[in-house]
Each structure stands twice: as C-alpha cells, then as structure tokens.
Amino acid sequence: MPDTSPEQRNEELHTAKQVQLENVGALTRDQLTPQAAAEPRGHDVPGHDHAPVTAAGPRAPWWHNPYAPAVASLLLLLAGLALDHFRDQAPFFTGFVRLGWYGVAFLLVGWKVIRSAVQSIPSGHVFNEFLLMSLATLGAFAIGEYPEGVAVMLFYTVGELFQDAAVNRAKRSIRALLEIQATEVTVLRDGQAVVLDPKQVAVGDTIEVKPGEKVALDGTLVQGPASLNTAALTGESVPQTKQAGEPVLAGMVNLESLIQVAVTAGYQDTKLAKILALVQDAVGRKAKTQQFITKFAKTYTPIVVVLAALLVAVPYFVVEDYVFRDWLYRALVFLVISCPCALVVSIPLGYFGGIGAASRAGILFKGSNFLDAMRELDTVVMDKTGTLTQGVFALQQVQPAPGTAPEQLLRLVGALETKSTHPIAKAVVTHVGAAAAGVAVENVEEIAGHGLRGRVDGRDVLAGNTKLLAKFGVAYPPEVDQVVDSIVVAAVDGQYAGYLTVADAPKEDAARAVQALKADGITKLVMLSGDKDSIVQRVALELGITEAHGGLLPEDKARYVQQYKDAGHKLAFVGDGVNDAPVVALADVGIAMGGLGSDATIETADVVIQTDHPSKIATARRIARATHAVVWQNIWLAFGVKALVLALGAGGVATMWEAVFADVGVALLAILNAVRIQRTTF
C-alpha cells in the first residue's frame, strides 16, 4: 500500500506534478483490440492491398508512397503518347521498345490488380472487377492498343486510391472521436504516482482519481467515503456515497476529494475497447441498398463476361465483312464500360462517408444499415433522466413566505448549506454563488435525515425537509407537503420562511431537440421514465412532449415500446442507464447517450451519441437522409452513363477512352460525391 494518504495527495494537487515523459502512455490502435489493429480494406478479395493508416513515424522513402506507382505510370504514359505523336523524331519508339515502355507503365499500376484476379480464383470470387480490368487491359495489349490498356488500369488505380483516402479519412474521424476517452491514469507504485496508459495497469494496482475525473477501470474503493456520480450506470441523478471496500465501476465520476481505487478488471473490458471493437464491425453491417448492389455485382459480372464473348463470336455468323480485331476491340470496350466499380466502390463509401460525418458530429453509427433505419423512423421514445435532463440537481423554484424577500431566503439558506456535502445542498450553494460569501455561519448542527440547524448572521436558521420543521415545532402551510420535487424548507428565528425546490433540470438543447424532431417528420414523441409521474408530466409539458409516462420499471418501458411496434410504428428508443439496455435492444433503432452512458446500453445500442446532446438525434436523421440521397445519386449516375456508353460501344462508336470515362470517370465522380458527405456540416 502506498505511504501517501488521499489527504496528502489532495494537497499535492495544488502543486506542479512532475511526470516523466516515458511514463505517459500513448493510446494506439494496436494497444486496444485485435480488431482495431486491422487496417481498412476496400474489398474482401484476397491480395488487393490498400494504403494503410499509419501512425506518425520516420518518413518512408518516396517509392513506398502508395501514390508513387500511379505518378510514375502517368509520366510514362504521357511520355509514350508524346513519342507516338512525334514518331518521326523518335524512330526508335517502335516494336519491343514501345511494348516495353508501355508494359512498364502498365505493370506499375496493374500487377496488383492482376494478382488479385488470380488470387481470388481459389476462394470462388472469380467474376469481379479485377477480372474485368485484367481481361480488358491485357486484351488491349494483345491487339496493340497499349496506351488505352495503360490508361484504363491507371485511372482504375487512381479511383482505388481516391477510395482508400476517403475510407481512411472516415476511419480517422471515427477513431479520433473515440480516442478522446481516458488515455492516461495515475497509478500508485512504490509510493510514487506514475501516469500510465490504462492498458498498462494490472489487476491489483491502485489508481488515483481526481475530483471531476471519470473512473477509468473497475475496482474497489480503498478509503472512504467518496461521492460518485453513478448516472452512467443507474440512470439515477442522485450521487451515491461509497464506503471503503465497495465496488467502483468504470464510468462513474468522482465528485469530491481525491480517491484511490484498487483495480479489479483490465482495461480491455472497459467502455473504450468495447466501442472500438463495435466500430470495426460497423463496416460489415450493410444497408439493404448495399446488400443488393453486392448481390447484383456477383450476378452482373459473369453475365457481362458472357455478353462480351458473344459480342466477338456472334457477328462472325451474321456480319459479311467480319474483322476479328474490330469486334474484339468492341468486346474489350464493353468489358471496361461494364465494370461495376462505380457501384461496388462508391455505394459502400457513401454509407461509410455518412458514418464518418456522423462521427465528427459526435454520433457513432454501428453500421450502414442503421443509417437507413434512422431515416425511416416515425416515432422516437426517450428516457428522462440523463437523456432529456442533465442528471444532476439544480435549483428550480424559490417560494418565500409572506414578508420574506427571495434574496434574503436564498442568502440565509445558501450560507447554511455551505456546511453540508449533500447533493441538494450543493445545488443550492451553486445557485446562490457569491451572495452567501462572507456571511457568518456558526454553531452548525447536522440532524441526520432532517437537515441543518445553525446561526447565520446572528439568526437561528433551519434548512431541511418538513420533518426538520416538525421536530422543532415550526408550523408551515399544508400545501408544502404537496410539492413533488425535492424540497428545502426553511425557518428563521422559529418562523416558517419559505421553501426552495431542487430538481433535475432539462438539458439546454432538450426543448430544441423535441422541436427539431417534430419539424423533421417524427409524428410521435414519447417520454418514459422511472421517476415520479408528476415530475415526468411537468418535464414533458416544459419540453413540448405530448405523451409521457412515469413510475415505470424497465419491463414497463419494454411493454410500451412493444405496443408501439405492434401498432406499426418505426421506432427509436433513446436512453443512457443500464436499466435502459433491454428497451434499447427492443427498438428498431436503439440510441444511447454515450458521454456518461452505461457500458451495457452503449454496447446494446445501434447509435451512440457521444456528446450526450439529445438534439443530435435530429442531426443523425439529417445525416441519414443525406447519405441515402448521395447513394442513389451514385446509382443513377453509374447506370445512366454506363447504359449510354454500352450502347455506343457495342455499335463501334465509343472507343476505349470513352470506356475509361464510363468506368473510372464515373467511379471517380461517384467517389467525390460520396466524399462530399464528410465535408458537409449538419
């Protein structure tokens, strides 16, 4: 056990803390989860490499840059075209020299594609864009159209690089959002405080948690008592007092003095690691549109190959002046145009761009399918505490007795409450602020379960519940007993002086969130809470929610949600406490408040709002609609251009250059359109 006490360490918080740099852990992806270490890939076909996201480090040689082969190939292609144009001045540029020149330009960008086409055969993925690109470009070389073969492969590779850049950008934005979680923790070892990466903390170590900090690891309290905000785990706004030996869980927030926690669970079991693993799975959860395009491409590609073969063979029997080379060229153009790159690349990228845009707005979608589901909602059901309200006490109302000024009541009660650590007392002190400064307070007595008694500015003051006044024989109006909020009743010099109400205040953007959802087409807004029904109805009226139910257990919330679903509503449930996890799982879209939300709810949810702002629900719907629009723009663009150029190519009007535009050009346009989502402010 360290030889420094929490009291001593409290004093040390006011001095500069010396930390050795080598002791400050840097949280990296490969330290978190095995899944997180996996680099993003654009396709599932083996051998098709994409540019990885790497941490900052020594600069690699220029030839290791993923863009270097494409740049070199482009320079060789341009130089080759110039030599072709000025062939009279370059008579050497013929035969094997010309083939070798263009061959090098082709292999710089094409060898990975050809390798991918070959390596995909054992896995059964024979008919894919790699096969189409390989057949078309190698066929172009076979009939002597070297520049076209290089151009097709070059621009295809450029499109892939654009895709990688867009995917990696989205990955980085999601990862940056998640990595703002706790990245260091103070560990007591050999009597010294050492700052480490939480990943390096072992079970049995003792960690320190400063006031206002979130507990990073599960453990037991070494010394008590300690006041902790447990709203993340219980959904209750009242802080809990923990004694020595009692469990302290990751996600709780230390409210008062420095505490020590003996670690009982490793960092891999905490919220951050779980969310990162879920992020890695998000790409695999495909939307219906994405699933359709994937299935379509698997059927479409072999049909295209067969049609290209027929385009070469059939004219031999029906065309009088049949020239094999001409019809082979048309078939190759047909293959290039038919490549489904624009669809198989840009549509997943569109959804992933939506996920990336949402992450920058503080919203985590765990899969592209939830983007579609969010757009289709007509009903939003919300918890109250921690979701629409702040989850902390705040002064709501000052009701002085006749003849007593509100300022005087606040000043006397606020000064007396400075001697208490109760959450309700703290809410009063916070509200009163400087008005209670300098007021003489003496002879304070705390009466357990009742409140405080003391002399304030030379006057006898009582502040607590109605039992306190009854104990000292102070009469008060009977309507005081009907107040539903938490109440502080006061008496001055033996006379009733009024009361203050303290309640969990709505979040600043709660009313705006309700109005935004109504304006966004949500026809049914419901609030379900375990709090008193009278309080729930008051909050609902204040926020503009027309249907609200209080006094509910988790199973009651689930019953209401099931009733709405049975009535045909597309429904989202928004909650934060562990008691909300079953209902979050039941909803069509489960949304968790992730800033202080419970691990169980965040893991169960389909969408996590990292900022705890309910107005982000409407933002998530706007992002979902924008993503849907971009995806369908890409679909119609790809099909429209390809259908036109396919007809021209089959008729011998379109050349390989038009085919390049119809394939790679459209893919680039679609990718740029998808990237546009990430640059949009919602």
Side-chain angles (χ1 to χ4, degrees):
M1 185 64 62
D3 55 8
T4 54
S5 68
E7 291 75 14
Q8 292 172 311
R9 294 294 298 153
N10 269 320
E11 294 297 325
E12 294 174 11
L13 286 177
H14 300 287
T15 63
K17 182 174 65 173
Q18 302 298 319
V19 180
Q20 299 296 323
L21 291 179
E22 60 268 21
N23 291 334
V24 180
L27 192 62
T28 58
R29 295 175 67 213
D30 53 354
Q31 286 178 306
L32 295 170
T33 61
Q35 296 93 330
E39 298 294 348
R41 296 186 180 276
H43 305 281
D44 295 327
V45 179
H48 186 51
D49 300 331
H50 287 264
V53 181
T54 57
R59 185 178 295 274
W62 67 268
W63 58 85
H64 288 172
N65 189 301
Y67 296 93
V71 172
S73 178
L74 176 62
L75 294 175
L76 287 174
L77 175 61
L78 294 176
L81 291 172
L83 290 172
D84 279 338
H85 185 72
F86 300 103
R87 186 165 297 177
D88 292 342
Q89 286 76 30
F92 67 90
F93 196 66
T94 58
F96 288 108
V97 173
R98 184 170 181 266
L99 173 61
W101 185 281
Y102 283 116
V104 171
F106 176 79
L107 290 175
L108 282 170
V109 291
W111 75 271
K112 285 187 177 181
V113 177
I114 297 173
R115 184 190 67 179
S116 297
V118 173
Q119 290 183 343
S120 64
I121 295 174
S123 63
H125 298 92
V126 179
F127 294 102
N128 49 53
E129 68 260 37
F130 310 124
L131 176 67
L132 294 183
M133 286 292 102
S134 300
L135 290 177
T137 52
L138 292 174
F141 266 76
I143 62 175
E145 300 293 345
Y146 307 148
E148 281 112 326
V150 174
V152 169
M153 192 61 76
L154 172 62
F155 288 113
Y156 172 77
T157 302
V158 169
E160 291 291 291
L161 291 172
F162 266 84
Q163 176 202 353
D164 294 338
V167 170
N168 291 338
R169 176 186 174 88
K171 281 276 188 181
R172 284 193 298 270
S173 64
I174 294 174
R175 196 165 59 250
L177 174 72
L178 297 173
E179 289 179 354
I180 65 174
Q181 306 289 325
T183 58
E184 60 181 40
V185 62
T186 302
V187 185
L188 298 178
R189 289 181 177 173
D190 300 324
Q192 300 294 321
V194 183
V195 178
L196 296 175
D197 182 335
K199 184 73 174 180
Q200 299 172 305
V201 179
V203 173
D205 279 342
T206 299
I207 64 173
E208 285 187 338
V209 186
K210 303 177 186 65
E213 282 188 345
K214 184 187 295 185
V215 179
L217 300 162
D218 292 350
T220 57
L221 189 64
V222 175
Q223 296 178 359
S227 180
L228 296 163
N229 182 336
T230 65
L233 305 173
T234 65
E236 295 298 326
S237 57
V238 180
Q240 288 187 6
T241 299
K242 295 285 187 178
Q243 303 296 332
E246 291 188 333
V248 176
L249 303 178
M252 292 183 177
V253 178
N254 181 24
L255 298 179
E256 295 181 344
S257 60
L258 187 76
I259 63 172
Q260 296 178 359
V261 177
V263 177
T264 58
Y267 184 66
Q268 66 273 15
D269 297 324
T270 60
K271 180 189 302 183
L272 179 60
K274 293 177 181 178
I275 293 181
L276 279 172
L278 291 170
V279 171
Q280 300 302 317
D281 294 337
V283 185
R285 295 185 176 182
K286 296 183 178 181
K288 292 180 180 178
T289 306
Q290 206 173 337
Q291 293 172 339
F292 167 74
I293 293 300
T294 301
K295 295 177 181 178
F296 171 79
K298 290 180 179 179
T299 305
Y300 166 85
T301 305
I303 292 175
V304 165
V305 173
V306 172
L307 290 176
L310 293 175
L311 190 59
V312 177
V314 172
Y316 176 80
F317 301 100
V318 297
V319 176
E320 294 183 0
D321 54 346
Y322 175 82
V323 178
F324 173 76
R325 186 186 182 281
D326 292 344
W327 287 98
L328 177 60
Y329 183 80
R330 294 185 186 186
L332 296 176
V333 171
F334 186 86
L335 284 176
V336 174
I337 299 171
S338 302
C339 183
C341 296
L343 295 174
V344 299
V345 170
S346 66
I347 291 173
L349 185 58
Y351 280 106
F352 204 71
I355 293 175
S359 73
R360 285 196 310 282
I363 305 164
L364 170 62
F365 279 91
K366 294 183 182 177
S368 53
N369 51 330
F370 301 122
L371 280 163
D372 279 350
M374 178 65 75
R375 182 182 55 84
E376 297 168 354
L377 296 177
D378 59 33
T379 301
V380 174
V381 181
M382 292 176 278
D383 177 45
K384 180 183 74 70
T385 305
T387 300
L388 289 171
T389 63
Q390 297 173 9
V392 294
F393 281 115
L395 189 68
Q396 300 295 312
Q397 184 183 11
V398 180
Q399 188 65 50
T404 303
E407 297 79 8
Q408 181 186 20
L409 177 63
L410 282 171
R411 181 171 176 270
L412 293 174
V413 174
L416 183 60
E417 294 285 24
T418 59
K419 303 304 179 180
S420 173
T421 60
H422 193 280
I424 293 179
K426 289 184 176 180
V428 174
V429 172
T430 299
H431 182 85
V432 174
V439 178
V441 181
E442 56 188 359
N443 300 330
V444 177
E445 177 187 1
E446 182 168 359
I447 303 172
H450 292 70
L452 297 176
R453 176 189 183 189
R455 287 189 65 78
V456 181
D457 250 359
R459 308 182 69 177
D460 290 326
V461 178
L462 299 173
N465 53 33
T466 54
K467 292 187 294 183
L468 178 67
L469 270 62
K471 180 179 178 67
F472 288 92
V474 178
Y476 60 89
E479 59 265 22
V480 173
D481 288 324
Q482 306 304 315
V483 177
V484 296
D485 288 333
S486 298
I487 189 171
V488 179
V489 187
V492 178
D493 293 333
Q495 298 295 318
Y496 170 73
Y499 66 85
L500 315 176
T501 61
V502 178
D504 184 11
K507 292 180 178 178
E508 292 182 0
D509 67 331
R512 186 169 71 251
V514 171
Q515 295 305 315
L517 288 170
K518 289 180 178 178
D520 199 46
I522 297 298
T523 58
K524 191 177 186 65
L525 274 168
V526 185
M527 183 166 66
L528 304 179
S529 176
D531 210 342
K532 293 180 182 178
D533 188 64
S534 56
I535 297 177
V536 172
Q537 298 303 328
R538 177 178 58 78
V539 173
L541 181 63
E542 181 179 349
L543 298 181
I545 297 175
T546 55
E547 183 178 348
H549 305 278
L552 303 179
L553 297 172
E555 54 266 31
D556 298 323
K557 294 182 181 181
R559 177 169 48 82
Y560 273 106
V561 168
Q562 189 60 57
Q563 287 176 1
Y564 299 139
K565 290 185 66 176
D566 292 343
H569 292 287
K570 289 288 186 180
L571 178 146
F573 182 86
V574 191
D576 71 311
V578 68
N579 56 323
D580 293 326
V583 200
V584 166
L586 179 62
D588 296 303
V589 179
I591 303 176
M593 292 292 174
L596 284 177
S598 75
D599 287 351
T601 305
I602 289 173
E603 187 167 348
T604 305
D606 309 312
V607 180
V608 179
I609 297 177
Q610 292 289 98
T611 61
D612 275 348
H613 293 152
S615 59
K616 294 292 185 180
I617 304 170
T619 303
R621 277 178 55 82
R622 289 196 296 271
I623 293 173
R625 282 200 308 274
T627 302
H628 180 264
V630 165
V631 166
W632 279 98
Q633 287 167 9
N634 287 346
I635 290 174
W636 290 116
L637 173 67
F639 276 123
V641 174
K642 284 182 179 293
L644 175 63
V645 183
L646 272 174
L648 296 175
V653 177
T655 67
M656 192 72 78
W657 295 105
E658 283 82 4
V660 168
F661 172 75
D663 173 45
V664 181
V666 171
L668 287 174
L669 290 175
I671 289 169
L672 291 174
N673 192 34
V675 170
R676 182 170 57 86
I677 304 176
Q678 299 181 46
R679 298 182 179 274
T680 303
T681 302
F682 293 95

